[in-house]
Amino acid sequence: MDVRLLLISVLLGLSRAQIDVNECTKASAQSCGECIQAGEKCGWCTDEKFLKQGEQKSTRCDELDALIKKGCSNASIENPRGRVKVDKDQPVTNRTKDGVKLKPDQITQIQPQKLTLDLRSGEAQTFPLKFKRAEDYPIDLYYLMDLSYSMKDDLENVKNLGTHLMKKMQTITSDFRIGFGSFVEKTVMPYISTTPAKLLNPCTSDQNCTSPFSYKNVLSLTEDGSQFNNLVSRQQISGNLDSPEGGFDAIMQVAVCANQIGWRNVTRLLVFSTDAGFHFAGDGKLGGIVLPNDGKCHLQDNMYTMSHYYDYPSIAHLVQKLSENNIQTIFAVTEEFQPVYQELKNLIPKSAVGTLSSDSNNVIDLIIDAYNSLSSEVILENSRLPEGVSISYVSHCKNGVSEKGENGRKCSNISIGDEVTFEVAITAKGCPSNGKSETIKIKPLGFTEEVEIVLNFICECECHKDGIPNSPVCHFGNGTLECGACRCNEGRIGRTCECSKDEVRTEDLDANCRMDNGTDICNNNGDCVCGTCECKKRDNPEERYSGKFCECDNFNCDRSNNKLCGGHGRCECRKCICDANYTGSACDCSLDTSTCLASNKQICNGRGTCECGACKCSDPKFQGPTCEICPTCPGVCTEHKDCVQCRAFGTGDKKDTCEKECGGLNLKIVKKKEDLPQPNDQPYINHCKERDANDCWFFFTYATKEDSTIEVQVAEDLECPSGPDIIPIVAGVVAGIVLIGLALLLIWKLLMIIHDRREFAKFEKEKMNAKWDAQENPIYKSPINKFQNPSYGNKGVTL
C-alpha cells in the first residue's frame, strides 16, 4: 500500500510539474502584446466570439494546441515569430586576391558582417558565424621594456632586436611594423628617491643612469628595423626603490594612445618585458595618489605626464581597455615571476606568458612562439547585452569537434587558411528597452573585425495596428477594440470596460452574481467584477469554470476507467457530450457491435444481445464474451454422431427414425478422410472422429455457413480394428515360459553356489581357530611334577 501511495504522489508531482510549465495561462495577459511576451509557445485568439460566458480575457492567451481545442481557428490565432536578416555578407578572403595584394581594411576574416534580428520573447534566433584565419595578415608589435637597473644586461640584447625580429617575422607576414617603449615607476616617494642627486642619477655614483620616469614612447610603430636598433641603443637604464614596477601605467597608455603609438586595424601585439612584479589599483595610496586611473591618453612629448596624479589601473580596467583596442599581450618575464604573470594571464583574454632568460637573449624565439600560440586560437566576445537578452555559442572546430557553453566561444589549433564556424543563438525575455532597437557587436578577441547585430523586439501583435480607439463595443468608447478584445482606458475595468475601478464592488452589483438569489457569489468559483462573474482559473489549464454564475465546469463529469467521460467524449457543464458510437452518462457504452461478433459471424452467437459493446446472453446455458461457451452442452461431434451414422451408413440408434430426425442435414459423402475439407479451406469447421457399434471409426466435418445452413461431409472409408495374429501370440507365450524356466534354474543354481561357498568358508575359519596339535594327545596328563626351591641356587628339584 505504501508503494502505491508513493507512486501516486510521484505521478501527481510529475503532473503538477507539467502543469507549471504553461507560462501562457500563468501570465493572466490582458492583451495580445502581454500574451506573446509571456513565452514563445503562447498565442492569442482574436475571435470576438471565442470567450464563453464567465471566462476572463486572459483565457484568450494559451498554447496553440489548447486554443484550437477550445474552438479557436488557426486563422484567428495571433502568433508572431522572430527572424534573422543578413544585411552584409561579404565572403572571407585571403591577403592576395586575383594576384593583387589587398590592403588591411580589405581583408575579411569573419562572415557575415551585419545582421538584423527580430526577437520574440523566449524564442531563440540562431545564425552561423564563419571565421577564416587569413594568410600574410599584417602585424604591429610594440615592445614595452622595464628599464629599472636590474634589466641592465637585458637592454644590451634588445638593442639589435629590431632587425633580427624583422627577419624572423618575414616568414609569417610581409607587412610587419615594430615600436619600442620603456617604463620605470611613478616619480614620487616611496617608489623613487626624490633627492635632487637621485632624481638626476638614481644609481650609484659610478653608474651613469638616466632620470627616473613612468612611461616613455621611444619609437612609434615603424617598418624600419634599423631605426629601432638606433633608438634603443641610445636608451639608458634608470632605477627605483621598490621591487614592483609601474608597468600597468605603461600598458594603459600603450593601449589608449592609438594615434601616438601608431596602431593600425591589424593584429596588435604588445610584448611586456620585465624581471619584477607590478603595482595595481590602490597601491598609489602609498604615494598619496588616490584618484582612480581615468583610462585616457596623457602623453606629452611621448612622456606619460599624469603618473603622479592618477593611481595605477586595476586589472579589470586594463582587461577592458586591451579588449576594446584589440591588443594581444605577451608577458616576457623571468622564471622567478612566472607564477605571478601566469595568474595574470588567466585574467586577461588573448594573452600569453613566456620565460625570459636572465639577459633576454631568447626574446625573439619567445615572441614567435607566443604569437603562434595566440593566433592559433580564436575566441568570440560580445559587447554588453541589453537587460533580458542572453547569448549562447556552439563552436564547430577542426576535425568535427563541437563544444557548448564557455568552450563554445573558442576554437584552438587553427592554422593559416583554416575555416571554423560558430553557431550563435540570441534570446530575449519579455520586451527589453520598451521595444526600442538595440545594437550589439561580436568580434574575435585580438582582431579588429566585428559583426554588428541590430536587435528589434516584437512587443505587440500585428493586429495591434488595426485597433479601434474609443470603440463603442468597449462600453461607450471606454477602451480600444484590439485583437478581438477590449483594452480598457486608464481607470476602467471589466470584459468590455463597463466599470470604473471605483465601482468594482457594490451590493447591487454583487446581487447580479448570485445564482437563484443564493448567498454564494459566483458559486464560490469566481469573482464578481462589475456585476459579472469572472471565473477563477485552475492550476491545470485544461480545467476551467464557465457559465453566467461560474456554475459549469469541464472536469466534474462522470468517469469510466478513471477517465473523464470514459475518454470518449468531452465534459460540458458537468455533463458528458459523447463521441459518435458512444452513449451513457460516462460515454462508456459503445454502440459498435464488432466486439460482439462470434466466430460464426453472428452477433452473440445468435444466443444473446449486444449491449454497450458486450454480449448479454439470453440462454443461461451459454456464456463468454460472445455467448459461445456452453460447459454443459455436448460437443458438436457427439450431438450429430447418430444422424451422420444413419444418413451415411444406415446404422446407429436413429436408423429407424433417420428421415424424420436427421433430414435437415446437408450431407455430402467423400471417399477418404483425406478428401474432407481442411481447416484452412473454411474458416468455421469442426473435424469429428466417432466410433460405431462395430468399434470402427468414421470421420466427418461439421460447418455452419453464413446463411446459417449446416453442411456435413462424411468419409466413406471406415477404420476398423483387425483380428489378432495367433501364431506370434502362441510362439511368444511358449518362448516366455521357456525363458522364465531357464531363468529360474539359473537363479537356483546361483543361490546354491553362493550357499556352498559360504559353508566352506565357515569350515576353513573353524579349522584355523583349532587349539590342538596332531602330535599330542589332548586327553593325556603327565604324572611328573616340578617344584622350584627358591633358596637353593635357583635350581629346581624333581619329585
Side-chain angles (χ1 to χ4, degrees), residues 34-95:
E34 292 180 12
C35 179
I36 63 173
Q37 292 178 46
E40 63 170 324
K41 297 180 181 179
C42 301
W44 177 270
C45 186
T46 60
D47 186 355
E48 294 185 21
K49 299 179 180 179
F50 172 71
L51 293 183
K52 297 179 181 178
Q53 195 169 27
E55 290 185 336
Q56 304 176 19
K57 275 192 293 186
S58 58
T59 307
R60 293 181 178 273
C61 182
D62 207 335
E63 295 181 356
L64 304 185
D65 292 341
L67 289 176
I68 293 173
K69 286 181 180 179
K70 292 177 184 178
C72 187
S73 64
N74 281 314
S76 301
I77 296 177
E78 194 76 15
N79 182 33
R81 312 311 299 175
R83 64 170 187 152
V84 177
K85 178 185 175 186
V86 179
D87 301 318
K88 187 178 180 182
D89 193 27
Q90 294 180 353
V92 290
T93 62
N94 290 319
R95 181 72 189 273

Side-chain angles (χ1 to χ4, degrees), residues 11-31:
L11 293 174
L12 289 174
L14 290 174
S15 176
R16 179 68 63 187
Q18 293 172 349
I19 292 170
D20 291 343
V21 171
N22 193 332
E23 300 172 318
C24 312
T25 55
K26 278 189 171 185
S28 296
Q30 299 298 308
S31 66

Side-chain angles (χ1 to χ4, degrees), residues 369-390:
D369 292 343
Y371 169 74
N372 289 331
S373 174
L374 291 173
S375 60
S376 66
E377 183 177 53
V378 58
I379 302 175
L380 296 183
E381 71 163 359
N382 51 267
S383 60
R384 187 174 180 273
L385 298 173
E387 186 178 357
V389 176
S390 61

Side-chain angles (χ1 to χ4, degrees), residues 12 38 51 96 134 140 154 162 196 209 232 306 339 425 486 489 504 509 514 777:
L12 289 174
L51 293 183
T96 304
D140 285 352
D154 300 82
C209 296
V232 173
M306 301 298 285
C486 287
N489 296 336
V504 173
L509 292 175
R514 294 187 176 96
N777 190 344

Side-chain angles (χ1 to χ4, degrees), residues 493-511:
I493 198 171
R495 192 158 152 181
T496 58
C497 313
E498 64 271 22
C499 271
S500 169
K501 287 185 178 180
D502 299 332
E503 302 172 352
V504 173
R505 296 298 301 271
T506 65
E507 286 298 324
D508 292 337
L509 292 175
D510 286 351

Side-chain angles (χ1 to χ4, degrees), residues 180-199:
F180 184 82
S182 57
F183 66 92
V184 182
E185 187 55 275
K186 289 184 180 295
T187 54
V188 295
M189 281 289 288
Y191 311 111
I192 67 166
S193 175
T194 55
T195 60
K198 290 294 183 180
L199 285 175

